[in-house]
């Protein structure tokens, strides 16, 4: 079999997605997700201008060799743009291989290790009553675990509470990020009171998560972890910017609250200290941002040796193609922890018809050969790229802060 075409489709059925479609001379095609929120066109160009020409003529079955030649051959390694592009190729090739075998991808990854994939959903509220309503809505949908984010008294816009980025109807060059505001002391005072209220209302059993979104220093993160211990979180996520892997040693020394990290990581090298020293409990990278199924499976195997579990990043800005690849991996690996699943707009599901299902809070990849996702190219073309950016976060005095 030979690759005869590789093309990139950028579509915005509510938000932007970048999809690679690889076609072979035997008529089998594969899809890969290369969506990098707010930098979509950079990955699209990387793929279209620099990778697609290299793919034509090669044997799509040689997944590892193709991965290594894209990673090592470019000379410039790692980074989110490069790794999202390589991820799309990797997943598209796995899709082709599994379709050629007539098997769902999870069968090629070792087969099912469980019957279904447990998820967590997002509950958000500007205040506690609004948060309670949102938790009830997620519970009614069947989510077995729930991430909670709230507004902070005195702050107008806070991560997770407002729908911030959003597509804007302005020409590409005029789009600007919205500004959110931040006060660490107010946050550290408020969040333990939110968890106390939620535990009082919903009891001790509901697994609860919280995302600090890289906003704390290691000592502030340690303080928060300690303050939240009575509420037995499932995890505290991205408590401090983890490119400072050493910082997690300090957090870990002070708190038993479980820690999850890694959605902005794109290489196993970002995790070396964190995993080998058991400084975290869950690894959070997405298939889409980590170079694909091949390297993420290797990361999970490395993490398994240290009793660390998977928790693949699954926000709305991973396309259904990236989500499907994640679900196949979730079903197959032994050290599965949980899958984030935020769901999609009906139009997104129409652009990407898929075999995976979400039932009572649990995902299953389905039995269609490959990853089980198609791309409706006409519908995709009817919803072209719309410039949109993630917010920028500023302290009350105007200083840019981690987002
Ligand atoms: O593109 C950024 C989002 O994916 C991120 O803000 C979502 O933190 C996130 C999460 O945990 O889903
Ligand atoms: Mg997060």
């Amino acid at each position: 079999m030979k690759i005869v075409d590789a093309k990139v489709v950028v579509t915005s059925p509510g938000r932007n997605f970048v999809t690679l479609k690889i076609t072979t001379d035997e008529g089998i095609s594969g899809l890969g997700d290369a969506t990098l929120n707010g930098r979509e066109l950079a990955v699209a160009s990387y793929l279209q201008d620099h990778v697609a020409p290299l793919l034509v003529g090669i044997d799509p079955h040689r997944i590892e060799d193709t991965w290594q030649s894209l990673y090592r051959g470019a000379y410039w390694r790692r980074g989110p743009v490069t790794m999202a592009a390589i991820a799309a190729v990797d997943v598209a090739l796995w899709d082709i291989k599994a379709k050629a075998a007539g098997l769902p991808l999870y069968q090629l990854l070792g087969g099912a290790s469980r019957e279904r994939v447990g998820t967590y959903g997002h509950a958000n509220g500007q205040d506690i009553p609004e948060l309670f309503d949102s938790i009830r809505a997620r519970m009614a949908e069947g989510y077995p675990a729930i991430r909670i984010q709230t507004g902070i008294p005195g702050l107008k816009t806070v991560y997770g509470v407002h729908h911030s980025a959003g597509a804007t109807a302005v020409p590409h060059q005029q789009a600007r990020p919205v500004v959110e505001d931040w006060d660490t002391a107010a946050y550290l005072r408020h969040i333990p009171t939110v968890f106390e209220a939620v535990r009082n209302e919903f009891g001790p059993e509901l697994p609860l998560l919280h995302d600090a979104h890289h906003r704390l220093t290691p000592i502030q993160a340690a303080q928060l972890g300690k303050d939240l211990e009575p509420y037995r979180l499932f995890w505290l996520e991205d408590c401090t910017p983890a490119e400072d892997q050493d910082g997690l040693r300090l957090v870990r020394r002070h708190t038993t609250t479980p820690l999850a990290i890694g959605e902005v990581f794109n290489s196993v090298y970002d995790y070396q200290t964190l995993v080998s020293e058991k400084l975290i409990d869950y690894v959070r990278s997405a298939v889409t941002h980590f170079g694909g199924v091949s390297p993420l499976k290797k990361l999970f195997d490395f993490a398994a040796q240290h009793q660390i579990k998977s928790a693949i990043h699954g926000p709305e800005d991973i396309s259904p193609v990236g989500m499907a690849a994640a679900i196949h991996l979730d079903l197959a690996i032994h050290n599965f922890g949980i899958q984030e699943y935020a769901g999609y707009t009906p139009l997104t599901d129409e652009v990407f018809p898929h075999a995976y299902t979400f039932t009572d809070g649990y995902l299953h990849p389905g039995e269609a050969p490959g990853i089980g996702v198609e791309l409706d190219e006409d519908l995709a073309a009817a919803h072209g790229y719309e410039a949109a950016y993630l917010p920028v976060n500023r302290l009350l005095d105007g200083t840019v802060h981690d987002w």
Side-chain angles (χ1 to χ4, degrees):
M1 202 182 335
K2 293 259 176 296
I3 294 174
V4 292
D5 187 45
K7 76 167 172 186
V8 181
V9 174
V10 182
T11 181
S12 185
R15 69 177 315 129
N16 294 311
F17 296 114
V18 180
T19 309
L20 176 69
K21 180 174 181 180
I22 295 180
T23 307
T24 67
D25 58 355
E26 295 185 14
I28 299 178
S29 61
L31 298 178
D33 176 28
T35 306
L36 186 62
N37 200 0
R39 295 294 183 271
E40 297 87 355
L41 299 183
V43 191
S45 161
Y46 191 112
L47 278 169
Q48 194 68 70
D49 297 329
H50 303 294
V51 173
L54 306 180
L55 295 176
V56 174
I58 70 168
D59 175 0
H61 282 302
R62 297 185 62 176
I63 301 175
E64 183 68 16
D65 182 67
T66 304
W67 195 97
Q68 297 295 344
S69 69
L70 291 175
Y71 182 76
R72 294 172 201 280
Y75 189 67
W76 311 108
R77 298 180 186 203
R78 305 164 62 181
V81 174
T82 298
M83 299 309 280
I86 297 178
V89 176
D90 182 80
V91 171
L93 296 186
W94 276 112
D95 193 18
I96 290 168
K97 190 185 276 294
K99 281 179 181 166
L103 292 169
L105 174 59
Y106 76 83
Q107 294 289 11
L108 303 192
L109 301 175
S113 286
R114 56 196 49 76
E115 302 304 317
R116 54 189 189 156
V117 169
T119 67
Y120 71 90
H122 299 172
N124 311 310
Q126 183 55 48
D127 53 23
I128 290 192
E130 215 178 279
L131 175 65
F132 283 3
D133 288 346
S134 183
I135 293 174
R136 286 194 187 95
R138 296 296 85 76
M139 289 172 81
E141 287 157 1
Y143 278 102
I146 300 178
R147 185 191 85 168
I148 60 175
Q149 307 295 136
T150 57
I152 311 295
L155 300 185
K156 288 189 299 296
T157 52
V158 170
Y159 170 75
V161 176
H162 293 267
H163 268 284
S164 33
T168 46
V170 297
H172 176 188
Q173 304 304 344
Q174 289 168 24
R176 296 287 179 272
V178 299
V179 177
E180 295 191 350
D181 44 29
W182 188 246
D183 176 348
T184 303
Y187 168 78
L188 290 175
R189 279 195 305 275
H190 187 62
I191 288 298
T193 70
V194 172
F195 273 87
E196 184 183 18
V198 171
R199 280 289 177 228
N200 287 342
E201 180 73 11
F202 295 94
E205 282 167 20
L206 179 64
L208 296 175
L209 300 77
H210 177 68
D211 192 346
H213 231 255
H214 325 273
R215 292 173 180 205
L216 308 174
T217 63
I219 197 66
Q220 290 166 342
Q223 237 178 324
L224 180 63
K226 254 176 122 154
D227 289 348
L228 293 178
E229 280 171 19
Y231 312 111
R232 298 285 168 149
L233 270 61
F234 186 93
W235 78 43
L236 173 62
E237 175 179 338
D238 287 336
C239 60
T240 191
E243 55 264 41
D244 174 19
Q245 295 191 42
D246 281 350
L248 269 296
R249 290 201 186 101
L250 189 147
V251 182
R252 198 63 152 177
R253 261 203 304 278
H254 291 285
T255 181
T256 57
T257 293
L259 303 173
I261 287 220
E263 68 184 51
V264 299
F265 287 173
N266 45 67
S267 154
V268 68
Y269 297 104
D270 297 319
Y271 283 104
Q272 273 183 326
T273 305
L274 297 178
V275 170
S276 61
E277 296 188 23
K278 301 177 175 35
L279 301 180
I280 56 174
D281 302 281
Y282 296 90
V283 293
R284 287 272 298 133
S285 292
V287 172
T288 303
H289 301 140
F290 202 75
V293 163
S294 305
L296 198 53
K297 170 89 167 58
K298 293 174 193 172
L299 171 68
F300 291 151
D301 292 343
F302 170 42
Q305 295 168 42
H306 297 274
Q307 302 190 58
I308 295 171
K309 294 195 172 188
S310 77
I312 299 180
H313 190 213
E316 304 91 330
D317 49 279
I318 297 291
S319 88
V321 174
M323 177 58 64
I327 304 166
H328 284 277
L329 200 45
D330 290 330
L331 198 72
I333 57 171
H334 177 254
N335 58 329
F336 169 74
I338 200 164
Q339 172 66 52
E340 182 181 25
Y341 182 70
Y344 296 100
T345 62
L347 182 58
T348 301
D349 285 333
E350 269 183 70
V351 171
F352 297 98
H354 51 77
Y356 71 75
T357 51
F358 177 72
T359 313
D360 298 332
Y362 288 81
L363 289 158
H364 192 282
E367 299 299 335
I371 61 168
V373 184
E374 301 302 324
L375 173 66
D376 181 330
E377 293 186 47
D378 293 336
L379 196 54
H383 300 275
Y385 172 77
E386 293 191 46
Y389 291 104
L390 287 162
V392 166
N393 198 30
R394 288 185 184 272
L395 302 181
L396 299 183
D397 70 359
T399 309
V400 170
H401 193 62
D402 296 284
W403 191 79

